[in-house]
Amino acid sequence: MRAEPAPQGAPWQVSGVLLEEAVIARRVAELGAAIAADYAGREVVLITVLRGGLYFLADLCRAIDGPVRLDFMGISAYGAPGQPGGVRITKDLDENIEGAHVLVVEDIIDTGLTLNYLLGVLRSRKPASLEVAVLLDRDQRRIADLPIAYRGFRMPDTFAVGYGLDLDGGLRNLRYLGALSAQALSDAGLA
Ligand code: PRP
Protein backbone atom coordinates (compact mmCIF):
# COMPACT_ATOMS: atom_id res chain seq x y z
CA MET A 1 0.00 0.00 0.00
CA ARG A 2 1.40 3.37 -1.05
CA ALA A 3 1.19 6.52 1.07
CA GLU A 4 -0.94 9.20 -0.53
CA PRO A 5 -1.53 12.73 0.67
CA ALA A 6 -5.09 13.58 1.65
CA PRO A 7 -6.99 15.49 -1.02
CA GLN A 8 -7.18 19.22 -0.52
CA GLY A 9 -9.78 20.01 2.10
CA ALA A 10 -10.57 16.37 2.90
CA PRO A 11 -11.83 16.13 6.46
CA TRP A 12 -10.37 12.65 6.93
CA GLN A 13 -6.88 11.46 6.38
CA VAL A 14 -6.40 8.97 3.57
CA SER A 15 -3.36 6.95 4.55
CA GLY A 16 -2.78 4.74 1.54
CA VAL A 17 -3.89 3.40 -1.78
CA LEU A 18 -5.62 0.03 -1.89
CA LEU A 19 -6.19 0.10 -5.65
CA GLU A 20 -4.47 2.52 -7.98
CA GLU A 21 -6.55 4.37 -10.56
CA ALA A 22 -4.75 2.57 -13.41
CA VAL A 23 -5.36 -0.85 -11.84
CA ILE A 24 -9.07 -0.11 -11.52
CA ALA A 25 -9.20 1.20 -15.10
CA ARG A 26 -7.53 -1.92 -16.45
CA ARG A 27 -9.94 -4.23 -14.65
CA VAL A 28 -12.99 -2.20 -15.68
CA ALA A 29 -11.83 -2.43 -19.30
CA GLU A 30 -11.55 -6.23 -18.96
CA LEU A 31 -15.02 -6.48 -17.44
CA GLY A 32 -16.47 -4.28 -20.18
CA ALA A 33 -14.91 -6.44 -22.87
CA ALA A 34 -16.25 -9.61 -21.22
CA ILE A 35 -19.74 -8.14 -20.97
CA ALA A 36 -19.71 -6.99 -24.60
CA ALA A 37 -18.65 -10.47 -25.71
CA ASP A 38 -21.22 -12.26 -23.55
CA TYR A 39 -24.14 -10.12 -24.67
CA ALA A 40 -22.88 -10.04 -28.27
CA GLY A 41 -24.82 -7.09 -29.60
CA ARG A 42 -27.90 -7.56 -27.44
CA GLU A 43 -28.88 -4.41 -25.59
CA VAL A 44 -28.04 -4.50 -21.89
CA VAL A 45 -29.85 -2.42 -19.29
CA LEU A 46 -27.34 -1.44 -16.62
CA ILE A 47 -29.05 -0.77 -13.32
CA THR A 48 -27.14 0.89 -10.54
CA VAL A 49 -27.98 1.53 -6.93
CA LEU A 50 -27.50 5.16 -5.98
CA ARG A 51 -25.24 6.57 -5.07
CA GLY A 52 -21.91 4.79 -4.79
CA GLY A 53 -22.33 2.66 -7.91
CA LEU A 54 -22.37 5.71 -10.21
CA TYR A 55 -18.62 5.91 -10.60
CA PHE A 56 -18.15 2.27 -11.58
CA LEU A 57 -21.19 2.50 -13.84
CA ALA A 58 -19.87 5.56 -15.68
CA ASP A 59 -16.60 3.82 -16.50
CA LEU A 60 -18.06 0.36 -17.11
CA CYS A 61 -20.73 1.48 -19.58
CA ARG A 62 -18.06 3.21 -21.67
CA ALA A 63 -15.96 0.04 -21.63
CA ILE A 64 -18.81 -1.96 -23.20
CA ASP A 65 -18.62 -1.86 -26.98
CA GLY A 66 -22.30 -2.53 -27.61
CA PRO A 67 -25.77 -1.13 -26.97
CA VAL A 68 -26.50 -0.20 -23.35
CA ARG A 69 -29.16 1.73 -21.51
CA LEU A 70 -28.94 3.00 -17.95
CA ASP A 71 -31.43 3.13 -15.13
CA PHE A 72 -31.16 3.85 -11.43
CA MET A 73 -32.62 2.68 -8.20
CA GLY A 74 -32.44 4.18 -4.73
CA ILE A 75 -32.51 1.86 -1.75
CA SER A 76 -32.44 2.56 1.93
CA ALA A 77 -31.59 -0.02 4.58
CA TYR A 78 -32.78 0.24 8.12
CA GLY A 79 -31.94 -1.70 11.26
CA ALA A 80 -28.48 -2.27 12.71
CA PRO A 81 -25.64 -1.95 10.18
CA GLY A 82 -24.59 -5.33 8.80
CA GLN A 83 -27.55 -7.11 10.36
CA PRO A 84 -30.59 -8.46 8.59
CA GLY A 85 -33.08 -5.63 8.79
CA GLY A 86 -35.35 -4.03 6.26
CA VAL A 87 -34.69 -2.49 2.90
CA ARG A 88 -37.00 -0.17 1.02
CA ILE A 89 -37.02 1.51 -2.38
CA THR A 90 -36.53 5.27 -2.23
CA LYS A 91 -36.31 5.72 -6.00
CA ASP A 92 -37.70 3.22 -8.49
CA LEU A 93 -36.58 2.55 -12.05
CA ASP A 94 -37.82 4.87 -14.76
CA GLU A 95 -38.17 2.10 -17.34
CA ASN A 96 -40.01 -1.19 -17.66
CA ILE A 97 -37.48 -4.05 -17.67
CA GLU A 98 -39.82 -6.87 -18.71
CA GLY A 99 -38.05 -8.87 -21.43
CA ALA A 100 -34.83 -6.85 -21.05
CA HIS A 101 -31.33 -8.14 -20.40
CA VAL A 102 -30.56 -6.56 -17.04
CA LEU A 103 -27.14 -6.24 -15.46
CA VAL A 104 -27.03 -4.83 -11.94
CA VAL A 105 -23.90 -2.77 -11.40
CA GLU A 106 -22.69 -2.33 -7.82
CA ASP A 107 -19.57 -0.72 -6.41
CA ILE A 108 -19.34 -3.09 -3.45
CA ILE A 109 -21.11 -6.09 -2.00
CA ASP A 110 -20.67 -6.63 1.69
CA THR A 111 -23.40 -8.56 3.52
CA GLY A 112 -25.24 -8.99 0.21
CA LEU A 113 -28.53 -7.92 1.76
CA THR A 114 -29.01 -4.88 -0.47
CA LEU A 115 -28.40 -6.83 -3.64
CA ASN A 116 -30.45 -9.79 -2.47
CA TYR A 117 -33.41 -7.50 -1.98
CA LEU A 118 -32.84 -5.73 -5.27
CA LEU A 119 -32.55 -8.97 -7.26
CA GLY A 120 -35.84 -10.15 -5.78
CA VAL A 121 -37.58 -6.94 -6.85
CA LEU A 122 -36.08 -7.02 -10.34
CA ARG A 123 -36.77 -10.73 -10.89
CA SER A 124 -40.46 -10.16 -10.17
CA ARG A 125 -40.53 -7.77 -13.16
CA LYS A 126 -39.66 -10.60 -15.55
CA PRO A 127 -36.47 -9.49 -17.30
CA ALA A 128 -35.14 -11.81 -20.04
CA SER A 129 -31.97 -12.20 -17.97
CA LEU A 130 -30.61 -10.81 -14.73
CA GLU A 131 -26.92 -10.75 -13.82
CA VAL A 132 -24.62 -8.89 -11.43
CA ALA A 133 -21.42 -6.95 -11.99
CA VAL A 134 -19.59 -5.79 -8.88
CA LEU A 135 -16.31 -3.97 -8.63
CA LEU A 136 -15.46 -4.94 -5.05
CA ASP A 137 -16.48 -8.19 -3.45
CA ARG A 138 -15.90 -7.97 0.31
CA ASP A 139 -17.30 -11.33 1.33
CA GLN A 140 -16.14 -11.76 4.94
CA ARG A 141 -19.52 -10.64 6.30
CA ARG A 142 -21.68 -12.16 3.57
CA ILE A 143 -25.13 -13.18 4.74
CA ALA A 144 -26.92 -13.63 1.43
CA ASP A 145 -25.09 -15.79 -1.08
CA LEU A 146 -25.38 -14.21 -4.51
CA PRO A 147 -24.46 -15.18 -8.04
CA ILE A 148 -21.88 -12.69 -9.32
CA ALA A 149 -21.25 -12.92 -13.06
CA TYR A 150 -18.63 -10.15 -13.25
CA ARG A 151 -16.33 -9.40 -10.31
CA GLY A 152 -13.64 -6.73 -10.30
CA PHE A 153 -11.69 -7.55 -7.16
CA ARG A 154 -12.09 -9.50 -3.96
CA MET A 155 -11.16 -7.24 -1.10
CA PRO A 156 -10.24 -7.72 2.56
CA ASP A 157 -12.45 -6.60 5.42
CA THR A 158 -11.03 -3.08 5.33
CA PHE A 159 -12.86 0.22 5.33
CA ALA A 160 -12.19 1.84 1.96
CA VAL A 161 -13.06 5.16 0.39
CA GLY A 162 -13.02 6.55 -3.12
CA TYR A 163 -14.22 5.43 -6.54
CA GLY A 164 -17.78 5.71 -5.22
CA LEU A 165 -17.22 4.53 -1.65
CA ASP A 166 -17.86 7.23 0.89
CA LEU A 167 -17.17 8.20 4.45
CA ASP A 168 -20.10 10.16 5.76
CA GLY A 169 -20.98 11.24 2.21
CA GLY A 170 -17.48 12.45 1.34
CA LEU A 171 -14.42 11.12 -0.51
CA ARG A 172 -16.45 9.30 -3.18
CA ASN A 173 -14.69 11.26 -5.90
CA LEU A 174 -11.18 9.99 -5.21
CA ARG A 175 -9.99 8.39 -8.45
CA TYR A 176 -8.37 5.51 -6.56
CA LEU A 177 -9.54 3.25 -3.74
CA GLY A 178 -8.01 4.54 -0.54
CA ALA A 179 -7.60 3.39 3.04
CA LEU A 180 -8.15 5.64 6.02
CA SER A 181 -5.51 6.26 8.65
CA ALA A 182 -5.91 4.62 12.05
CA GLN A 183 -6.63 8.09 13.47
CA ALA A 184 -9.34 8.79 10.89
CA LEU A 185 -10.93 5.40 11.54
CA SER A 186 -10.93 6.06 15.24
CA ASP A 187 -12.30 9.60 14.79
CA ALA A 188 -15.12 8.19 12.67
CA GLY A 189 -15.89 5.51 15.28
CA LEU A 190 -14.85 2.74 12.88
CA ALA A 191 -11.94 1.32 14.87
C1 PRP B 1 -23.20 0.28 -0.47
C2 PRP B 1 -23.13 -0.39 -1.84
C3 PRP B 1 -24.27 -1.36 -1.79
C4 PRP B 1 -24.37 -1.72 -0.33
C5 PRP B 1 -23.74 -3.07 -0.13
O1 PRP B 1 -24.14 1.30 -0.49
O2 PRP B 1 -23.28 0.54 -2.89
O3 PRP B 1 -25.48 -0.81 -2.27
O4 PRP B 1 -23.60 -0.76 0.42
O5 PRP B 1 -23.82 -3.45 1.22
P1 PRP B 1 -24.49 -4.83 1.64
O6 PRP B 1 -23.95 -5.88 0.73
O7 PRP B 1 -24.02 -5.02 3.06
O8 PRP B 1 -25.97 -4.71 1.55
P2 PRP B 1 -24.31 2.31 0.73
O9 PRP B 1 -25.38 1.78 1.65
O10 PRP B 1 -22.98 2.59 1.34
O11 PRP B 1 -24.92 3.58 0.02
P3 PRP B 1 -24.22 4.51 -1.09
O12 PRP B 1 -24.18 3.73 -2.37
O13 PRP B 1 -25.11 5.70 -1.21
O14 PRP B 1 -22.84 4.83 -0.60
Side-chain angles (χ1 to χ4, degrees), residues 48-51 73-78 82-89 104-122 132 142-144 146:
T48 292
V49 182
L50 298 169
R51 286 167 281 187
M73 204 140 190
I75 282 180
S76 165
Y78 50 92
Q83 298 300 314
V87 184
R88 69 187 173 89
I89 297 174
V104 176
V105 178
E106 268 282 31
D107 52 346
I108 186 164
I109 303 178
D110 204 355
T111 63
L113 294 175
T114 306
L115 192 56
N116 193 44
Y117 171 79
L118 181 65
L119 290 176
V121 169
L122 296 179
V132 174
R142 189 63 41 86
I143 295 172
L146 300 161

